[in-house]
Amino acid sequence: MPLKLDLAATDLTDQEIASLKEMRTHCARRILLSTSLAASGHPGGSLSSLDMLLVAYGLLKNNPEDPRMAERDRMVESIGHISPGVYAVLAENGYFTEDDFLTGFRRTGSGFPGHVESIVPGVEWDTGNLGQGLSTAVGMAQAFKTKRMDNRVFCLMGDGEHQKGQIVEAMRHACKYKLDNLTVLVDRNHLQICGDTADIMPQSIRELYRVMGWNVVYLEDGHDYNAIFHAMRDAYGNTGGVPTVIVARTIMGKGISFMENKAKYHGSPLPPDMLAKALAELGVDNDFDQWQKLREEPVKTNTIMQPRTDYPDVQPGNPVVYDADTVTDCRSGYGNALLGLAEANNRPGEPPVICGVSCDLEGSVKMGAFHKYSPEGYLELGIQEHHAAAVSGAMSCENLVTFFSTFGSFAVSEVYNQNRLNDFNHANIKVVATHVGLDVGEDGPTHQCIDYLGLIKNYFRFSVFMPCDPNQTDRIVRYIATQPGNFFVGMGRSKTPTITREDGSVFYDADYSFKPGRADWLRRGTDATIITYGAVTPACMEAWQILTDAGASVGVLNMASLLPLDIDAVIEAAGTGPIVTVEDHHIETGLGASVSVTLLEQGLAPKMTRLGVKHYGGSGKPADLYRQQGLDGKSIAHSVQQLLG
Amino acid sequence: MPLKLDLAATDLTDQEIASLKEMRTHCARRILLSTSLAASGHPGGSLSSLDMLLVAYGLLKNNPEDPRMAERDRMVESIGHISPGVYAVLAENGYFTEDDFLTGFRRTGSGFPGHVESIVPGVEWDTGNLGQGLSTAVGMAQAFKTKRMDNRVFCLMGDGEHQKGQIVEAMRHACKYKLDNLTVLVDRNHLQICGDTADIMPQSIRELYRVMGWNVVYLEDGHDYNAIFHAMRDAYGNTGGVPTVIVARTIMGKGISFMENKAKYHGSPLPPDMLAKALAELGVDNDFDQWQKLREEPVKTNTIMQPRTDYPDVQPGNPVVYDADTVTDCRSGYGNALLGLAEANNRPGEPPVICGVSCDLEGSVKMGAFHKYSPEGYLELGIQEHHAAAVSGAMSCENLVTFFSTFGSFAVSEVYNQNRLNDFNHANIKVVATHVGLDVGEDGPTHQCIDYLGLIKNYFRFSVFMPCDPNQTDRIVRYIATQPGNFFVGMGRSKTPTITREDGSVFYDADYSFKPGRADWLRRGTDATIITYGAVTPACMEAWQILTDAGASVGVLNMASLLPLDIDAVIEAAGTGPIVTVEDHHIETGLGASVSVTLLEQGLAPKMTRLGVKHYGGSGKPADLYRQQGLDGKSIAHSVQQLLG
């Protein structure tokens, strides 16, 4: 029977304090048992943050019977390694049985992994990499503000992880957007894996929050229930436009005499003999052997939560068709489509459904018209890409269709790991990157993202689409808005012609609809096939013309859907003759590599040449950079001719 | 004839001020001309930071005739986009001619790229991604402290980029390690691409440095030469153990009336008509047309600096050979080899040659013995991986053999872009990651790095080696220490058997020496080949035993050098029969993909099965996780048998 505390109370009653103490004993026992049973895990921080967690669950709006109840408050554990403490408290609050937890903890296939994951009822977000949970919590708090909902968000953090730079990015966002619905709890035990936080990397956490503009509350004793209650109650009722951090001085290993203030217990469980002593200190029976025996049985999996599946019903709006004479950039196609989506889905006076996030590049990524139309839906997060990617992922899980747009190097390469965490979390983020590839031109190699496919292939739940012209861009952007899941859409910087059929009519016309895993034959040929996508498609069309003029019959296959790949089309191409893949991407990790893997898997070995970026690009006009790497029309035609012999 | 200022002077002389004003006019002209000629680039910030750059080059120790003179001070431009200003000042200081710069700027193949690169004489580091230059400067300053040299380091930064979290990581390092040889210059023009910094993402830059413990100097007029001189002179002489930041209030577009304080000119050049007006304001002739004509000629490349080639002479020390009965982890093999390298190269009383950097994981990555032996060579940088990777790269270019060690997820996935910048910069970083792959076990998917090869393949100058046992680890670690260049060496967490020959003797014995691009046949076979590496090698040996017992003759090829790959060995395997690749890595992006690409390139299509990680790993014992993904001995043997039919 979970304890619920009265937010209007002046103090906790004696009975409430007694209950909390009793709950603490139950939870401390579970923390010690679970880690000793698994022979791994993190008891120290679990014990130091335990009292804050117990009071927090006494205050926040939740429903163990319906862990995803819409009105619930959120608790994000940025320190994912204190899973024993989190699971212990969730069990105490009735989310699942102690038996499920203790028999399953850290076992393959169980519902109780080593770092908290949202397969556990009551856990909101998979964490593990330190310093990223605050961005997630900010994203959730932002989503509630954007949706005009009054849910509150708590974020439990460690002190060591405050060394991570991403945290100050999140701190700034929370102030800029007045997220007073957010409360951070810092478990200030002064210890991290290698010792005292002041020795490892000195800093004043409280001063940092203060200079960032937060409301800072310090608890001298982070185990004093009334003090915790007062601070949390006040933060819960805060509507002053400023987020709150409660920094609580705690004791690592609190409650077990020989574990207290020992950095060792950050990540070390007790061996059975010391566990016996610890349980004796708690005054509870030692049932380690019984549990150990139960853990010899196959894992039970009945508590595993399935990924969220709710997703808003999004209208794609009316496609924009660019005619054959239009020469514009895919970026503008994106900007127009995004505006169209806002017009179709963000109703005046109501909270937005379509949201946009950018990092000091609103104009370059063409989000300006969207921003103007739907100011509430647009977030300018400054030059803080790590945080922005994490925020976008979190928002995308709160039924906001969130587009994260910046240059490719920042949207993919810089935030690879943030998007990996979004991927773990079954997010619905729409990463639309502009300024991708050598097409960036004069800004040079730091700005030339030539690894978008090579990187995103390493996730398991992302799709990668690369439109070849503004028409295809329009349709792809509208498509991804209507679909749950993680998507990457990339495009170059330059203006590019509308792709047409041989008769000069628009290829991606009003009848076209985009389908993942389906490539398009821009030209059919009987001698060989050029497989390409994105910004170099016009060069391939030029090559096609050169080859056609020279009497060769060559097909051009536009593989806009790179992940998933159109395997049937690849097989068809291999059946036709030699293949040349052409891409504005690192030659070893892009389409050419994907096609090679696919062909070999099919037992096919057609003659094949991979064209792509063979060394870091220079600073110059895109046409010159392409020529330098053999990616211009003539060079492509020449490569095909060489294969044809 | 460059101006040199007297560090002992109280004030600048009137003549010096007159010279600086004259130089300013020359440089402002070049900034405007170069960007208008290229029709792209960043004139605004170039003009706002110009006065600081001019004074800095008057103070710092340098030699335009010998741009890489050992005693030179360093200037890192974290805002790489103000290249026009940097090149203008370098030309003024005699590093190259104005002609080279103006004819080459932003042209393919020229020596003057859009963001500063070290191909330009006088430029120390390629930058472009904002917020990372301070880490580089800290790395250089740290290197000088470590080497007990008194060179000074300047870092020119923008105000907008101070939003980036990595900067606070660098700030903390500079204080912890008392880098008083470092001076940061902040071009505080209050504008970034999308507008006022206070609107984009509000913060107090000065307060941030103060709370981080820096010596903060504020210049109300960042264009007042005497004020700049006083601040820089004092900072240059600073030996107080605290780094200095000079925050200078400047004016974007300073000196051209209609450009001042306009965010637009952050990244927009003047069109010819407005250029004419601007040059008139400067009181100089408008020779735009002449330069434009010169730019029609082919690019001159005579100023391009080649990458640094100096590298210390490192003794590999005596290899440690682990006997056939030893069961230890590769991490310990690494720790012992690192200690051996220190013993062989870090002489008592002298500055260290071998350095180690870690992020609150000293014990886990087995750097403890090294740290104890060579305390001056060890840096504990806390949970600040972005910064630590950048610092390690910078130190590695200062003749310090720098090992950067943390878990794979943090050493690769989290810092992908930082290592990409190291790669641009021809660094010599030795990334040795432990806790790689599913072998991490119970810590679960956030901690399981299954993309090391998939990611690093996207660079151009990194090698990837994955040892299969402690003996091979020992030899690989010693090898990379002796070689310039960027290396990644990865290993699991668990104890692993010593790999032996069929007769039971140690395979990687005292006679073994590691060679990149050379694979080892652990077993020869005539029916099929298992190609593998790293932590799953023992499982492959188990599979070999199962298959041998069943009468099949199967080879086992250890591909420890994954980048470069041993192409000849792959061809040899394909000539033998079917191939099964086995790896503790994402199945689509690792060895299996590399082998597929290689085979197809050779026109070979043997029967092949790729085994690897097919979905994010769970939390459990490594053996269970391997079994779940078909990577245990039995499953591997079964896969081979299926191919053999």
Side-chain angles (χ1 to χ4, degrees):
Chain A
M1 189 182 51
L3 175 76
K4 276 295 157 191
L5 304 172
D6 179 4
L7 277 163
T10 310
D11 291 301
L12 296 176
T13 64
D14 290 347
Q15 199 181 353
E16 283 167 337
I17 292 176
S19 292
L20 284 163
K21 285 185 178 165
E22 196 185 341
M23 290 164 80
R24 175 177 232 286
T25 301
H26 300 164
C27 291
R29 170 180 159 272
R30 290 181 196 124
I31 289 167
L32 296 169
L33 265 176
S34 62
T35 48
S36 292
L37 285 164
S40 70
H42 302 77
S46 295
L47 288 167
S48 64
S49 57
L50 178 55
D51 297 301
M52 280 198 287
L53 273 178
L54 283 169
V55 176
Y57 274 90
L59 286 174
L60 53 73
K61 218 178 288 167
N62 68 334
N63 183 357
E65 303 294 313
D66 179 10
R68 297 213 179 119
M69 172 181 78
E71 316 86 68
R72 77 193 184 280
D73 297 322
R74 303 293 204 273
M75 169 66 79
V76 175
E77 297 90 8
S78 184
I79 33 176
H81 57 270
I82 61 136
S83 57
V86 175
Y87 303 158
V89 171
L90 289 172
E92 191 68 18
N93 278 271
Y95 282 86
F96 41 80
T97 65
E98 171 180 293
D99 184 83
D100 278 339
F101 165 33
L102 293 181
T103 57
F105 186 55
R106 288 187 163 236
R107 290 177 70 195
T108 303
S110 94
F112 298 93
H115 287 80
V116 298
E117 293 182 23
S118 52
I119 58 171
V120 181
V123 172
E124 300 285 354
W125 202 259
D126 301 25
T127 61
N129 292 177
L130 292 171
Q132 314 213 357
L134 182 56
S135 294
T136 303
V138 165
M140 291 174 177
Q142 180 66 59
F144 293 132
K145 287 285 180 186
T146 300
K147 294 163 77 178
R148 303 178 204 162
M149 291 167 68
D150 59 6
N151 309 47
R152 314 290 301 185
V153 180
F154 289 85
C155 182
L156 177 63
M157 301 182 70
D159 47 2
E161 70 169 332
H162 276 81
Q163 289 153 10
K164 196 88 186 149
Q166 187 178 324
I167 286 175
V168 296
E169 300 180 354
M171 287 179 186
R172 285 190 202 102
H173 173 165
C175 273
K176 178 182 175 187
Y177 285 97
K178 305 188 192 307
L179 305 182
D180 53 17
N181 54 349
L182 172 66
T183 304
V184 167
L185 315 173
V186 180
D187 179 31
R188 187 70 168 119
N189 57 33
H190 284 271
L191 290 175
Q192 57 191 114
I193 296 180
C194 290
D196 195 307
T197 51
D199 296 329
I200 301 300
M201 189 52 70
Q203 74 166 324
S204 166
I205 291 175
R206 278 177 279 164
E207 285 305 308
L208 185 59
Y209 276 97
R210 251 179 226 125
V211 79
M212 289 289 160
W214 283 53
N215 176 30
V216 181
V217 179
Y218 182 61
L219 304 185
E220 281 183 29
D221 179 359
H223 306 288
D224 174 336
Y225 291 120
N226 249 320
I228 300 170
F229 172 72
H230 294 152
M232 285 194 192
R233 176 201 61 199
D234 293 350
Y236 198 97
N238 169 29
T239 55
V242 177
T244 300
V245 59
I246 300 170
V247 180
R249 178 59 169 108
T250 59
I251 292 172
M252 170 82 79
K254 173 72 179 177
I256 308 300
S257 62
F258 56 87
M259 291 177 79
E260 288 193 357
N261 289 316
K262 299 255 168 61
K264 179 186 167 187
Y265 292 111
H266 168 95
S268 300
L270 296 176
D273 56 329
M274 294 179 71
L275 173 70
K277 279 186 210 167
L279 294 177
E281 281 197 20
L282 290 177
V284 298
D285 290 343
N286 182 356
D287 49 1
F288 176 78
D289 293 342
Q290 287 155 258
W291 290 110
Q292 204 177 30
K293 207 163 176 91
L294 285 170
R295 283 172 67 97
E296 285 163 16
E297 289 171 27
V299 148
K300 291 179 215 166
T301 58
N302 52 323
T303 64
I304 290 179
M305 298 282 286
Q306 293 305 309
R308 288 169 299 268
T309 53
D310 50 329
Y311 190 78
D313 182 28
V314 174
Q315 297 307 312
N318 296 320
V320 176
V321 179
Y322 301 88
D323 67 27
D325 299 328
T326 305
V327 179
T328 186
D329 40 43
C330 293
R331 293 186 281 154
S332 295
Y334 166 52
N336 295 337
L338 191 62
L339 175 62
L341 284 165
E343 287 170 342
N345 297 280
N346 294 358
R347 302 209 181 128
E350 290 182 21
V353 176
I354 309 288
C355 290
V357 172
S358 189
C359 299
D360 195 27
L361 288 171
E362 176 186 326
S364 304
V365 301
K366 305 291 182 188
M367 278 187 156
F370 167 78
H371 182 184
K372 201 171 163 190
Y373 181 84
S374 221
E376 267 189 287
Y378 179 76
L379 294 178
E380 171 54 76
L381 294 187
I383 306 170
Q384 308 193 137
E385 292 88 2
H386 293 122
H387 169 69
V391 158
S392 301
M395 288 174 65
S396 79
C397 293
E398 297 290 346
N399 273 325
L400 293 170
V401 178
T402 309
F403 284 82
F404 170 50
S405 286
T406 175
F407 293 178
S409 289
F410 315 135
V412 185
S413 321
E414 176 75 354
V415 302
Y416 171 79
N417 205 34
Q418 283 66 28
N419 277 332
R420 177 171 163 264
L421 295 180
N422 285 332
D423 205 47
F424 287 154
N425 278 287
H426 297 269
N428 299 309
I429 188 173
K430 321 299 180 193
V431 181
V432 181
T434 67
H435 295 68
V436 159
L438 298 181
D439 187 51
V440 165
E442 290 91 338
D443 275 343
T446 57
H447 284 54
Q448 290 161 359
C449 178
I450 52 168
D451 48 20
Y452 41 93
L453 184 56
L455 297 190
I456 299 177
K457 271 185 208 173
N458 292 282
Y459 306 139
F460 287 100
R461 298 169 189 145
F462 248 91
S463 300
V464 175
F465 306 144
M466 296 287 295
C468 69
D469 77 355
N471 280 318
Q472 196 173 27
T473 305
D474 179 83
R475 251 49 58 78
I476 288 177
V477 169
R478 292 173 194 275
Y479 172 82
I480 64 170
T482 65
Q483 301 295 317
N486 297 312
F487 294 93
F488 172 81
V489 178
M491 55 199 70
R493 186 188 64 167
S494 309
K495 288 187 192 302
T496 188
T498 300
I499 297 294
T500 55
R501 299 195 186 84
E502 271 189 81
D503 64 9
S505 64
V506 171
F507 192 94
Y508 295 103
D509 59 17
D511 296 332
Y512 166 70
S513 70
F514 174 76
K515 274 211 184 116
R518 193 190 64 190
D520 301 305
W521 289 95
L522 301 181
R523 295 292 183 268
R524 291 277 178 180
T526 54
D527 298 341
T529 304
I530 298 169
I531 311 183
T532 190
Y533 63 89
V536 288
T537 308
C540 293
M541 298 303 273
E542 201 186 313
W544 174 85
Q545 190 62 57
I546 294 169
L547 292 160
T548 302
D549 292 349
S553 171
V554 173
V556 179
L557 184 63
N558 174 25
M559 190 66 72
S561 173
L562 289 157
L563 199 64
L565 204 69
D566 186 339
I567 294 173
D568 292 339
V570 171
I571 295 171
E572 189 182 346
T576 304
I579 291 174
V580 176
T581 56
V582 185
E583 57 191 321
D584 188 359
H585 190 283
H586 194 299
I587 192 165
E588 297 299 338
T589 59
L591 169 69
S594 292
V595 168
S596 297
V597 168
T598 300
L599 287 169
L600 207 80
E601 206 158 49
Q602 303 291 331
L604 299 170
K607 285 207 279 183
M608 178 168 158
T609 299
R610 286 178 287 120
L611 300 181
V613 180
K614 294 186 285 281
H615 54 80
Y616 289 120
S619 165
K621 293 193 191 309
D624 293 339
L625 298 179
Y626 283 142
R627 203 173 303 117
Q628 197 181 41
Q629 305 250 13
L631 295 172
D632 58 305
K634 268 190 200 166
S635 302
I636 297 164
H638 181 70
S639 290
V640 175
Q641 276 160 336
Q642 280 197 310
L643 272 191
L644 288 173
Chain B
M1 188 181 54
L3 175 74
K4 276 295 156 190
L5 303 172
D6 179 4
L7 279 162
T10 309
D11 290 303
L12 296 175
T13 65
D14 289 349
Q15 203 183 346
E16 284 168 336
I17 291 176
S19 293
L20 284 164
K21 285 185 177 165
E22 198 184 338
M23 291 165 79
R24 175 178 234 285
T25 301
H26 300 165
C27 291
R29 171 180 158 274
R30 291 181 197 124
I31 289 167
L32 296 169
L33 267 175
S34 62
T35 47
S36 290
L37 286 163
S40 69
H42 302 78
S46 296
L47 288 166
S48 63
S49 58
L50 178 55
D51 297 302
M52 278 198 286
L53 271 179
L54 284 168
V55 176
Y57 274 90
L59 285 175
L60 54 74
K61 220 177 287 167
N62 68 334
N63 183 359
E65 304 294 314
D66 180 10
R68 297 213 179 120
M69 174 182 78
E71 317 86 70
R72 77 193 186 281
D73 296 323
R74 303 297 157 82
M75 170 67 80
V76 175
E77 297 90 8
S78 184
I79 34 176
H81 58 269
I82 62 136
S83 57
V86 175
Y87 303 160
V89 170
L90 290 172
E92 192 68 20
N93 278 271
Y95 281 86
F96 43 78
T97 67
E98 170 180 293
D99 184 84
D100 278 339
F101 164 33
L102 293 180
T103 57
F105 185 56
R106 287 187 163 238
R107 289 178 68 197
T108 303
S110 94
F112 298 94
H115 287 80
V116 300
E117 293 182 23
S118 52
I119 59 171
V120 181
V123 173
E124 301 284 354
W125 201 258
D126 301 25
T127 61
N129 290 177
L130 292 171
Q132 315 213 355
L134 182 56
S135 294
T136 304
V138 165
M140 291 174 177
Q142 180 67 58
F144 294 133
K145 287 284 180 187
T146 300
K147 294 163 77 179
R148 304 178 203 162
M149 291 167 67
D150 58 6
N151 310 46
R152 312 290 302 185
V153 180
F154 290 85
C155 183
L156 176 63
M157 302 183 70
D159 48 0
E161 69 170 333
H162 276 81
Q163 289 153 10
K164 196 87 184 148
Q166 187 178 324
I167 286 177
V168 297
E169 301 181 354
M171 287 179 184
R172 284 191 203 106
H173 173 166
C175 274
K176 177 182 176 186
Y177 286 99
K178 304 187 193 306
L179 305 182
D180 53 17
N181 54 349
L182 173 66
T183 304
V184 168
L185 315 173
V186 180
D187 180 30
R188 186 72 168 117
N189 59 32
H190 285 271
L191 290 175
Q192 57 192 113
I193 297 180
C194 290
D196 195 306
T197 50
D199 295 330
I200 303 300
M201 190 52 70
Q203 72 166 325
S204 166
I205 291 175
R206 278 178 277 163
E207 285 305 307
L208 185 57
Y209 277 98
R210 249 179 227 126
V211 80
M212 289 290 161
W214 283 54
N215 176 29
V216 181
V217 179
Y218 181 61
L219 304 184
E220 280 183 29
D221 179 358
H223 306 288
D224 175 335
Y225 291 120
N226 248 322
I228 300 171
F229 171 72
H230 293 154
M232 285 194 193
R233 177 201 59 198
D234 294 348
Y236 197 97
N238 169 28
T239 54
V242 177
T244 300
V245 60
I246 299 171
V247 179
R249 178 58 169 110
T250 59
I251 292 171
M252 171 81 78
K254 172 72 180 177
I256 308 301
S257 62
F258 55 87
M259 292 176 78
E260 290 192 355
N261 289 317
K262 299 255 169 62
K264 178 187 168 185
Y265 292 112
H266 168 94
S268 300
L270 296 176
D273 57 329
M274 294 179 72
L275 173 71
K277 281 187 210 167
L279 294 176
E281 282 196 20
L282 290 176
V284 299
D285 290 344
N286 182 356
D287 49 0
F288 176 79
D289 292 342
Q290 287 156 256
W291 290 111
Q292 204 177 32
K293 210 165 173 89
L294 286 170
R295 284 172 66 97
E296 284 163 15
E297 291 172 24
V299 149
K300 292 179 212 163
T301 57
N302 52 325
T303 64
I304 290 180
M305 298 283 286
Q306 294 306 308
R308 289 169 299 269
T309 53
D310 52 327
Y311 191 78
D313 182 28
V314 174
Q315 299 307 312
N318 297 320
V320 176
V321 179
Y322 300 87
D323 66 27
D325 299 327
T326 306
V327 179
T328 184
D329 41 43
C330 292
R331 294 186 281 153
S332 295
Y334 166 51
N336 294 338
L338 190 62
L339 175 63
L341 285 164
E343 287 170 342
N345 298 280
N346 294 358
R347 299 205 185 133
E350 290 181 23
V353 176
I354 308 290
C355 291
V357 172
S358 189
C359 298
D360 195 26
L361 288 171
E362 178 185 325
S364 304
V365 301
K366 303 292 182 187
M367 277 187 158
F370 167 78
H371 182 185
K372 199 171 167 193
Y373 181 84
S374 221
E376 268 187 287
Y378 179 76
L379 295 178
E380 172 53 75
L381 295 186
I383 305 169
Q384 307 193 136
E385 292 88 3
H386 292 122
H387 169 70
V391 158
S392 301
M395 288 175 64
S396 79
C397 293
E398 298 289 347
N399 274 326
L400 293 171
V401 178
T402 309
F403 285 82
F404 170 49
S405 288
T406 174
F407 292 177
S409 290
F410 315 135
V412 185
S413 322
E414 175 74 356
V415 302
Y416 171 80
N417 205 33
Q418 284 64 29
N419 277 331
R420 177 171 164 262
L421 295 179
N422 286 332
D423 205 47
F424 287 155
N425 278 287
H426 297 269
N428 301 308
I429 188 173
K430 322 300 180 194
V431 181
V432 180
T434 66
H435 294 67
V436 159
L438 298 182
D439 187 49
V440 165
E442 289 90 339
D443 275 343
T446 58
H447 283 54
Q448 290 160 359
C449 177
I450 52 168
D451 48 20
Y452 42 93
L453 183 56
L455 297 190
I456 299 178
K457 271 186 207 173
N458 291 283
Y459 306 140
F460 286 101
R461 299 168 188 146
F462 247 91
S463 301
V464 176
F465 306 143
M466 296 286 295
C468 70
D469 78 355
N471 280 317
Q472 196 173 29
T473 305
D474 179 83
R475 251 48 60 77
I476 288 177
V477 169
R478 291 172 194 274
Y479 171 82
I480 64 170
T482 66
Q483 302 294 316
N486 297 313
F487 294 93
F488 172 81
V489 179
M491 56 199 72
R493 187 187 65 167
S494 309
K495 291 189 191 302
T496 187
T498 301
I499 297 293
T500 55
R501 299 195 186 84
E502 269 189 84
D503 65 8
S505 63
V506 171
F507 193 94
Y508 294 104
D509 58 18
D511 296 332
Y512 168 70
S513 71
F514 174 76
K515 274 206 187 122
R518 194 188 64 190
D520 302 305
W521 290 96
L522 301 181
R523 297 289 184 271
R524 291 277 178 178
T526 54
D527 299 341
T529 304
I530 298 169
I531 311 184
T532 190
Y533 63 88
V536 287
T537 309
C540 292
M541 299 304 271
E542 199 188 316
W544 174 86
Q545 190 62 58
I546 294 169
L547 292 160
T548 301
D549 292 348
S553 170
V554 173
V556 179
L557 184 63
N558 174 24
M559 190 66 74
S561 173
L562 289 157
L563 199 64
L565 204 69
D566 187 339
I567 295 173
D568 293 339
V570 171
I571 295 172
E572 189 183 346
T576 305
I579 291 173
V580 176
T581 57
V582 185
E583 58 193 319
D584 187 358
H585 190 283
H586 194 298
I587 193 165
E588 296 299 337
T589 60
L591 169 70
S594 292
V595 167
S596 298
V597 168
T598 300
L599 287 169
L600 206 81
E601 206 158 50
Q602 303 292 331
L604 300 169
K607 285 207 279 185
M608 178 169 156
T609 299
R610 287 179 285 119
L611 300 182
V613 180
K614 293 187 285 282
H615 54 80
Y616 290 120
S619 166
K621 293 195 189 310
D624 293 337
L625 298 179
Y626 283 142
R627 202 171 305 118
Q628 196 181 41
Q629 305 250 11
L631 295 172
D632 58 305
K634 268 191 200 166
S635 303
I636 297 164
H638 181 70
S639 291
V640 175
Q641 275 160 336
Q642 279 197 310
L643 273 191
L644 288 173

